[in-house]
Amino acid sequence: MDYRIIRERDENRNQKILFFLKHIAFRFNGTLVLAEHTGDKLNPITLSAVSAASKLGEISVLVAGTNVTKIAEQVAKVEQVKRVFIADHEKLKHQLPEYVAKAVETLQKQYKFDHVVAGASTFGRDVLPRVAAQFDASPVTDIIAIHSDDTFSRPTYAGNAICKVKSNAPVKFLTFRGTAFKSAKESGGSGKIEKAPETDFSFDGVEFLSQELLKSERPDLQSAKVVVSGGRAVGSADNFKMIYELADKLKAAVGASRAAVDAGYVSNELQIGQTGKELYIAIGISGAIQHTAGMKDSKVIVAINKDPDAPIFEIADIGLKADLHKAVPELIKAL
Amino acid sequence: MRALVAVKRVIDYAIKVRVKPDKTGVVKENVQHSMNPFDEIALEEAVRLKEKQIIKEVVAVSLGPSKSQETLRTALAKGADRAIHVEMEEATAEKIEPLFVAKILRRIAETEKPDLIFLGKQAIDDDCGQTAQLLAGLLNWPQAMYASVVEQESDKTFIVTRQVDGGRESIRIKIPAVISADLRLNEPRYATLPNIMKAKNKPLEKKKPADYGIEIVQQTQILEVTEPPKRKSGGFVEDVPSLVVKLKEMGVV
């Protein structure tokens, strides 16, 4: 028997396999999801980003910060997560975009992911385009639907037109609207945790000073499934108490129209941005287009207003023409 | 100190846009256009810093068809000292992505050498919210996005309060830096008639993307633009008890 021929044939086959593997590796380097967290808690929008990303390919997650092992362990258990990178550095403590972007850039240079994605929150919106600039890639932001690995839908004109786009960017930098994708389950995954490559954090143009977050026992407005929202007709900051009371009954977040914020009834963090909820209760809100653009993607909209001609009733699933000062306390009692 | 302010001409925020029947975009012909509201705020902030004598010169920049000059004249009437118009065909402007706007702004920044670049946090037409971050990334400058307060701290530093999810954040940035304006930053002024007249004599330089060596390559192809699913009114209920019944029927409480 001629062993040489066999060896040759063998090598040939090996090369073919190698080529095949390389080809796969070249085409599918997977998706990197940027985890968003507060240092001790994973932000729920990350779970939506993971579930959206699972439509694109194998998922790796980057957890950037200081002392984030616990967060990384939590992320590793999320379904579909294959790999978790920890970038731990003093400069990453407050996750300022300048530094997080550097960590992502280093990781991307080494692993060449096909997609780099995050939730369309302040964090995601801050970081993603900054990194994309380093790769000469046009980002696609605030995606509400994924059609294929390069085709997405996103709202434009404050949600009045839906734009379907195909991205030819060399790397797809994407942000997903949290409420448009269901959350990935927090169990079932067994991601491998490893250290992210060393990054040069010598940039020093920015420094974190302080943060003032609205403390509340209620769910966060961004991630809440139910929102009770008050408008100018609520009348005063004091009257807003009943909005809070109703929200507590429903385990809901409290929101407000721009008019209520401007009138000083609540702080501006509560103003309704673009969002879609399971249940949205609009109280004393007339429904200007800037407001409806923000909430019209909600599954069920309830409106309570004494003006039957208020435009909010045109989009409400259930309308109640009533004086809110009577109807809201009655509703609190009935629930 | 010099400030560069990027302003965009967009369909006026109060207009209800209509999607074209052929699904290629929205109807723009004979529709009221104005300066993107976030850009007005960005410009106002630069002008206020000039009034506080922190900034010496405010340069307004706009990319777009010839009509963008109206937007620049408005910027000049509101206090910008001079303007740069990077002109392009309407069809090109329609498709231009934030990345290429950022690339051109970077070139302008390299020649104008501003200490601060102000932009709106997003344009209300494409709702991208990317240009400021892309530009900061290209320049490798600090970025203070969604600013609601901008205060000078020293010759080289500013303190910026940012509107972030769930609250506010305060950061110190070194100049040169990129700042994007949140709605809360200020209340923009109206241009007075004498200032509108004066603005006509202020310098407005005309450029082309090619002058900056930038070739516009489209990376994001628009396949179709459609109306969002229409919501229908579900009608009224009589009173609170029937509201509760209905909520329970729908399984939302």
Side-chain angles (χ1 to χ4, degrees):
Chain A
M1 196 186 260
D2 192 341
Y3 284 98
R4 254 191 350 212
I5 292 177
I6 294 179
R7 205 182 303 131
E8 245 176 48
R9 213 192 284 150
D10 219 50
E11 265 173 18
N12 221 331
R13 199 187 57 192
N14 280 349
Q15 256 170 14
K16 265 188 193 157
I17 291 173
L18 210 66
F19 175 79
F20 182 59
L21 285 175
K22 262 193 191 155
H23 188 65
I24 287 193
F26 173 73
R27 281 198 54 212
F28 307 106
N29 291 334
T31 300
L32 178 68
V33 180
L34 311 189
E36 184 173 343
H37 62 89
T38 57
D40 48 18
K41 236 179 82 198
L42 188 67
N43 188 317
I45 201 166
T46 307
L47 298 173
S48 307
V50 168
S51 113
S54 66
K55 297 177 181 171
L56 301 171
E58 197 170 285
I59 297 174
S60 301
V61 182
L62 171 68
V63 181
T66 46
N67 304 319
V68 286
T69 317
K70 270 203 182 131
I71 301 277
E73 281 165 358
Q74 196 184 335
V75 171
K77 290 190 194 112
V78 175
E79 61 174 353
Q80 307 266 17
V81 172
K82 291 285 179 317
R83 215 166 181 185
V84 181
F85 292 97
I86 299 183
D88 193 318
H89 194 279
E90 193 50 37
K91 283 258 176 97
L92 291 169
K93 190 166 181 191
H94 301 286
Q95 297 156 63
L96 291 175
E98 290 83 347
Y99 303 114
V100 178
K102 287 265 187 254
V104 181
E105 188 188 330
T106 315
L107 198 59
Q108 174 60 17
K109 277 186 180 151
Q110 185 161 338
Y111 291 91
K112 301 189 168 47
F113 298 102
D114 301 308
H115 302 82
V116 179
V117 310
S121 57
T122 307
F123 172 79
R125 282 183 287 147
D126 258 349
V127 176
L128 251 278
R130 190 173 174 101
V131 187
Q134 313 305 324
F135 295 91
D136 197 25
S138 238
V140 183
T141 42
D142 206 17
I143 292 166
I144 56 168
I146 300 170
H147 305 290
S148 74
D149 63 353
D150 62 4
T151 308
F152 316 99
S153 282
R154 57 183 302 274
T156 57
Y157 294 94
N160 288 307
I162 307 298
C163 198
K164 188 175 177 184
V165 297
K166 184 179 190 306
S167 167
N168 302 316
V171 184
K172 272 65 168 172
F173 287 91
L174 316 169
T175 65
F176 300 113
R177 184 178 288 192
T179 46
F181 299 90
K182 66 174 180 48
S183 299
K185 286 198 190 78
E186 287 188 81
S187 62
S190 53
K192 205 170 122 250
I193 299 177
E194 55 194 285
K195 265 180 84 173
E198 285 294 323
T199 300
D200 173 13
F201 289 114
S202 58
F203 183 88
D204 68 346
V206 63
E207 202 184 323
F208 175 88
L209 297 176
S210 63
Q211 200 174 44
E212 197 188 317
L213 294 184
L214 211 62
K215 286 220 170 62
S216 167
E217 295 299 305
R218 289 176 199 93
D220 172 55
L221 189 55
Q222 294 299 317
S223 51
K225 290 198 158 51
V226 180
V227 170
V228 180
S229 201
R232 201 202 297 272
V234 174
S236 69
D238 206 43
N239 283 349
F240 238 84
K241 279 182 192 149
M242 66 180 170
I243 305 292
Y244 284 101
E245 211 178 312
L246 177 59
D248 289 345
K249 277 264 173 164
L250 294 164
K251 294 191 174 57
V254 171
S257 69
R258 172 83 197 268
V261 171
D262 284 347
Y265 302 163
V266 291
S267 76
N268 65 44
E269 286 79 11
L270 296 189
Q271 192 184 317
I272 295 297
Q274 281 192 38
T275 179
K277 303 294 177 189
E278 301 256 315
L279 172 62
Y280 186 92
I281 306 182
I283 298 169
I285 291 174
S286 65
I289 64 166
Q290 292 87 340
H291 185 82
T292 53
M295 41 63 85
K296 67 171 185 248
D297 295 334
S298 301
K299 256 185 215 134
V300 177
I301 296 174
V302 175
I304 302 176
N305 203 306
K306 66 178 176 192
D307 173 12
D309 296 324
I312 191 87
F313 286 127
E314 288 164 24
I315 59 161
D317 299 289
I318 312 175
L320 176 63
K321 178 195 164 289
D323 180 356
L324 67 95
H325 300 96
K326 284 193 192 117
V328 175
E330 207 183 318
L331 184 56
I332 292 169
K333 253 186 224 161
L335 285 168
Chain B
M1 242 181 244
R2 180 181 289 161
L4 199 67
V5 186
V7 295
K8 184 177 186 182
R9 177 179 179 268
V10 297
I11 292 181
D12 191 87
Y13 77 97
I15 304 282
K16 172 112 178 65
V17 297
R18 280 181 303 130
V19 171
K20 284 185 192 166
D22 67 1
K23 298 183 178 178
T24 55
V26 304
V27 178
K28 290 187 174 171
E29 295 76 27
N30 302 317
V31 170
Q32 170 75 34
H33 280 63
S34 51
M35 191 189 292
N36 178 40
F38 293 106
D39 302 350
E40 273 190 85
I41 297 167
L43 173 71
E44 176 68 27
E45 196 63 18
V47 172
R48 287 187 190 188
L49 288 174
K50 191 187 156 192
E51 286 164 350
K52 288 183 195 157
Q53 295 175 347
I54 292 167
I55 282 172
K56 277 216 177 71
E57 190 187 33
V58 177
V59 184
V61 183
S62 194
L63 280 71
S66 53
K67 280 179 181 160
S68 299
Q69 285 177 26
E70 296 164 15
T71 308
L72 286 170
R73 288 289 169 205
T74 306
L76 293 167
K78 286 175 180 244
D81 297 289
R82 58 188 173 89
I84 301 170
H85 177 216
V86 183
E87 192 173 4
M88 53 189 70
E89 298 283 317
E90 185 123 27
T92 314
E94 188 113 343
K95 289 183 210 149
I96 194 168
E97 293 153 30
L99 177 64
F100 296 94
V101 177
K103 283 182 173 183
I104 291 170
L105 290 174
R106 167 169 65 170
R107 291 284 170 250
I108 296 175
E110 281 163 3
T111 48
E112 295 288 337
K113 303 206 174 358
D115 301 283
L116 290 172
I117 304 179
F118 285 96
L119 299 95
K121 73 165 180 180
Q122 72 189 71
I124 60 162
D125 51 2
D126 61 27
D127 282 337
C128 280
Q130 302 171 6
T131 311
Q133 298 91 315
L134 285 161
L135 177 60
L138 289 173
L139 290 163
N140 197 28
W141 288 5
Q143 63 180 59
M145 304 290 105
Y146 333 117
S148 58
V149 184
V150 176
E151 282 170 327
Q152 191 186 30
E153 188 194 32
S154 74
D155 289 355
K156 293 269 170 261
T157 57
F158 280 79
I159 307 281
V160 179
T161 305
R162 310 190 324 118
Q163 295 298 125
V164 298
D165 294 339
R168 279 179 279 267
E169 184 178 282
S170 176
I171 55 169
R172 172 183 291 127
I173 49 165
K174 279 188 196 165
I175 59 164
V178 178
I179 297 176
S180 83
D182 184 81
L183 214 50
R184 306 280 150 194
L185 183 56
N186 59 48
E187 196 76 49
R189 72 193 64 191
Y190 289 98
T192 61
L193 191 59
N195 284 342
I196 293 171
M197 299 311 287
K198 264 188 240 163
K200 290 186 176 158
N201 297 321
K202 287 186 178 177
L204 193 154
E205 201 180 336
K206 286 180 203 170
K207 294 279 192 182
K208 299 256 183 234
D211 295 335
Y212 299 103
I214 303 289
E215 193 197 343
I216 295 168
V217 186
Q218 213 187 334
Q219 287 188 11
T220 311
Q221 188 191 342
I222 296 169
L223 299 180
E224 63 170 28
V225 178
T226 53
E227 297 242 359
K230 279 236 163 54
R231 279 197 92 100
K232 273 200 202 131
S233 167
F236 289 92
V237 289
E238 271 307 300
D239 48 20
V240 172
S242 27
L243 169 62
V244 176
V245 168
K246 197 116 188 235
L247 286 172
K248 283 184 177 155
E249 264 174 29
M250 291 174 123
V252 285
V253 293

